[in-house]
C-alpha cells in the first residue's frame, strides 16, 4: 500500500504540495478543506471537506484512514486547526509538520501600523483617513461595523458575513493581484488606508508595494503565535525534504 499523507489545506501551498507529490512519488494524498469557500480552486489527489470534530475527531480520522504523516498547510491565521493537528498527530503517533509561508516585513519606506487583532485595527482607523481598503477576509468584519463615518471598500473571495459598516462597497475577487492593478484600485477609489492580515506570500503582496508607492498607511494584523512544539518549514520544498527524511517508503526522496 502506498503511504498516506493528510494535508490540511485552504492555501496555495497546500495545493502546490499535493501537485508536487502527485508528480514525483507513489504516495496517496488527501487534502482536507474546512468548507468555507463554495467553489475552491481545483486540487490534485483526494479531497475531503468539513471539520473533524476537534483534535479527538481528527486523531480518530488519522487512525481510521491509516495516515502515515500530516502536513498542516493551513492559513497563518487559522490558529485552531493547527493546534488541533499537532495534538491529534501526537495522539495518533504520526509525524506532523507545519508548512507556514514567511510573514511580510516592512521596508524603511513603509508606513505600517501593526496591531494584534481586527478590533485593534478598527480602533486605529479613524485617525488614518476616511476611505479604507479592507482585505482581511470575509469573516470578522463586525469589528468595523460601528465605524459609521468611514467608507469601506471590502475585497474578498466570497461575500462577507454581516454585520458590516454602513458605508461598504464590495469587490468580490480572488488573487493573485499585480502591482499596476493594485495602484489603479487605490487611486480610483481614493483609498487613504489599507487594512490587511500579515498573511505573507507573493500572491497578495503587491498591495503593500502599491501602498508604499502612494505613501499610504497600512494597518497590519500580526499573526497568532504557532504552538511551541511545532516543526515548521517555510515552503513546499521544505515540506518535501521533511517527508523524504521520515524514511517512510514511497515518500519523495525517501531512502527506505
Ligand atoms: P480555524 O479557526 O483554525 O479552524 C476552525 C475549525 O474549522 C477547526 O477547529 C476545524 O474544525 C475546521 N477546520 C479548519 N481548517 C480545516 C481544514 N483544512 N480541514 C478540515 N477542517 C478544518 O480556521 P479558520 O481561520 O476558520 O480557517 C478555515 C480554513 O480556511 C483553513 O483551512 C484555512 O487554511 C483557510 N483560510 C483561512 C484564512 C484566515 O484568515 N483565517 C484565510 C484563508 C484561508 P474541527 O475542530 O471540527 O475539526
Amino acid at each position: 500500500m502506498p503511504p498516506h499523507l493528510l494535508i490540511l489545506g485552504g492555501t496555495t501551498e497546500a495545493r502546490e504540495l499535493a501537485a508536487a507529490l502527485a508528480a514525483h512519488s507513489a504516495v496517496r494524498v488527501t487534502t482536507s478543506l474546512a468548507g468555507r469557500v463554495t467553489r475552491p480552486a481545483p486540487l490534485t489527489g483526494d479531497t475531503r471537506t468539513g471539520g473533524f470534530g476537534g483534535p479527538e475527531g481528527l486523531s480518530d480520522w488519522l487512525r481510521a484512514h491509516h495516515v502515515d504523516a500530516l502536513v498542516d498547510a493551513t492559513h497563518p491565521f487559522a490558529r485552531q486547526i493547527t493546534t488541533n493537528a499537532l495534538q491529534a498527530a501526537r495522539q495518533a503517533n504520526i509525524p506532523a509538520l507545519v508548512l507556514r509561508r514567511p510573514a511580510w516585513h516592512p521596508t524603511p519606506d513603509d508606513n505600517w501600523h501593526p496591531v494584534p487583532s481586527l478590533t485593534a485595527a478598527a480602533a486605529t482607523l479613524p485617525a488614518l483617513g476616511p476611505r479604507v481598503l479592507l482585505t482581511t477576509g470575509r469573516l470578522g468584519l463586525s469589528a468595523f461595523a460601528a465605524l459609521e463615518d468611514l467608507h469601506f471598500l471590502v475585497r474578498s473571495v466570497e461575500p462577507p458575513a454581516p454585520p458590516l459598516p454602513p458605508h461598504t462597497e464590495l469587490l468580490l475577487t480572488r488573487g493573485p493581484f499585480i502591482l499596476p492593478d493594485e495602484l489603479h484600485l487605490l487611486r480610483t477609489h481614493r483609498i487613504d488606508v489599507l487594512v490587511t492580515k500579515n498573511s505573507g506570500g507573493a500572491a497578495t503582496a503587491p498591495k503593500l508595494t502599491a501602498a508604499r508607492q502612494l505613501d499610504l498607511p497600512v494597518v497590519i494584523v500580526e499573526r497568532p503565535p504557532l504552538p511551541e512544539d511545532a516543526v515548521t518549514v517555510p515552503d513546499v520544498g521544505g515540506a518535501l525534504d521533511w517527508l523524504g527524511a521520515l524514511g517512510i517508503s514511497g515518500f519523495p526522496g525517501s531512502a527506505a
Side-chain angles (χ1 to χ4, degrees), residues 149-174:
D149 296 334
L150 306 187
H151 179 278
F152 287 86
L153 176 62
V154 173
R155 182 167 73 183
S156 61
V157 177
E158 304 241 326
L164 300 174
H167 306 292
T168 295
E169 196 179 335
L170 289 185
L171 183 57
L172 298 181
T173 178
R174 191 196 294 265

Side-chain angles (χ1 to χ4, degrees), residues 7-11 32-37 48-55 58 72-82 84 136-137 139 197 199:
I7 302 173
L8 299 175
T11 58
S32 174
L33 300 172
R36 306 273 194 275
V37 177
R48 65 159 303 285
T49 303
F52 294 94
L58 177 50
D72 168 39
T74 56
H75 191 270
F77 282 81
R79 184 178 193 174
Q80 187 61 53
I81 188 69
T82 299
N84 292 0
T136 52
L139 297 177
K197 291 175 174 172
S199 301

Side-chain angles (χ1 to χ4, degrees), residues 231-244:
V231 177
T232 310
V233 294
D235 53 26
V236 169
L240 294 173
D241 290 346
W242 179 83
L243 287 169

Side-chain angles (χ1 to χ4, degrees), residues 170-240:
L170 289 185
L171 183 57
L172 298 181
T173 178
R174 191 196 294 265
F177 302 104
I178 57 171
L179 181 58
D181 292 348
E182 298 294 60
L183 284 166
H184 186 252
L185 183 77
L186 294 174
R187 285 194 181 111
T188 52
H189 288 268
R190 293 177 287 113
I191 296 298
D192 298 302
V193 51
L194 166 68
V195 186
T196 179
K197 291 175 174 172
N198 194 338
S199 301
T204 56
K207 64 186 169 188
L208 299 171
T209 313
R212 183 187 315 134
Q213 291 187 3
L214 299 179
D215 215 10
L216 298 183
V218 177
V219 177
I220 188 151
V221 184
E222 296 295 6
R223 295 173 169 203
L226 279 169
E228 274 181 10
D229 57 343
V231 177
T232 310
V233 294
D235 53 26
V236 169
L240 294 173

Side-chain angles (χ1 to χ4, degrees), residues 120-153:
T124 65
L125 282 178
L128 294 173
R131 296 183 64 83
V132 183
L133 173 59
L134 192 52
T135 64
T136 52
R138 59 177 287 268
L139 297 177
L141 302 195
S142 60
F144 302 91
L147 295 172
E148 295 177 357
D149 296 334
L150 306 187
H151 179 278
F152 287 86
L153 176 62

